[in-house]
Every structure is written in C-alpha cells, then in structure tokens.
Amino acid sequence: MRIAFVGVGVAGAARVAAARARGDVTLVGGWRGRHLDAAGLRALSSFDEALDADVVSISSPDALHAEQVAAALDAGRHVIVDYPLAWTQPKGSRSSSGRVASDASCTWSTSKCSHR
C-alpha cells in the first residue's frame, strides 16, 4: 500500500511515524507542512501528486479538509483525515455523499464511512 501525506505539521508527522512503524506501507511523500523534512519525506510538487498514492492522509488546516477529501475520494483513493471533516454539516455532506468511487473509504477520528 502506498500512502501520501497532505499537511505534515505535528499531527501529520505523527501519522508518518505511525505508518513508518508498520513496515508494510510505502511512504510516497508529503505535500506541505513545516515538519516535512524532519519526517524524512520526499516533498511532493502538488496535491494532485498525492493522489497517485493508494491512500491519502490529510492533516492540513481544518478549512481545507472537505475540499481535499472530496478530491481524493473522487480520484478513488482511500482517505484518512483529521477531524473536523468540515466546519458545517452541508460542506461535510458534500465531501462524502455521492462522491465515493468503488472500494474507496474515508476514515476520521470518530467514525468510518465505507462505500462500495
């Protein structure tokens, strides 16, 4: 499984360490974040490059979550995202409802949605 990280600050760096400790994943790289170098990740050139991975781990600023989750799900990627998914219920609903490609899933800290 190939995983890319979007937003490698404190939370993102913790996700990188957890993924690295598993030993059964390939760390593709990271896009943006002050701890990118310290986490030992290759810098990705764009958010779209993160979509080349099987899984996209999103730890960006909260206001970006809904849009980035929607883009990753539209691309058929599995998503791990920090909460909140969105600041408003309608924005969160647009991110996950009707956007999931076959076998994609979205996981956040308090619940999991999986669509087939």
Side-chain angles (χ1 to χ4, degrees):
M1 171 176 22
R2 297 167 25 95
I3 185 168
F5 299 87
V6 174
V8 187
V10 173
R15 289 236 180 104
V16 171
R20 185 172 279 126
R22 285 182 52 108
D24 62 347
V25 298
T26 300
L27 307 182
V28 173
W31 183 63
R32 297 195 174 170
R34 65 184 178 272
H35 295 293
L36 192 62
D37 291 335
L41 288 179
R42 176 179 73 87
L44 302 177
S45 62
S46 68
F47 174 79
D48 288 341
E49 190 177 357
L51 299 180
D52 291 338
D54 303 310
V55 178
V56 180
S57 175
I58 299 174
S59 298
S60 58
D62 296 347
L64 302 175
H65 289 178
E67 180 181 328
Q68 291 172 339
V69 166
L73 291 174
D74 281 346
R77 301 304 176 248
H78 298 284
V79 178
I80 302 167
V81 61
D82 283 342
Y83 67 89
L85 174 60
W87 285 107
T88 65
Q89 190 274 332
K91 192 169 186 177
S93 292
R94 282 193 304 272
S95 294
S96 57
S97 178
R99 289 186 163 273
V100 182
S102 63
D103 298 328
S105 64
C106 177
T107 302
W108 52 92
S109 67
T110 59
S111 62
K112 179 177 180 177
C113 63
S114 182
H115 304 270
R116 291 186 183 259

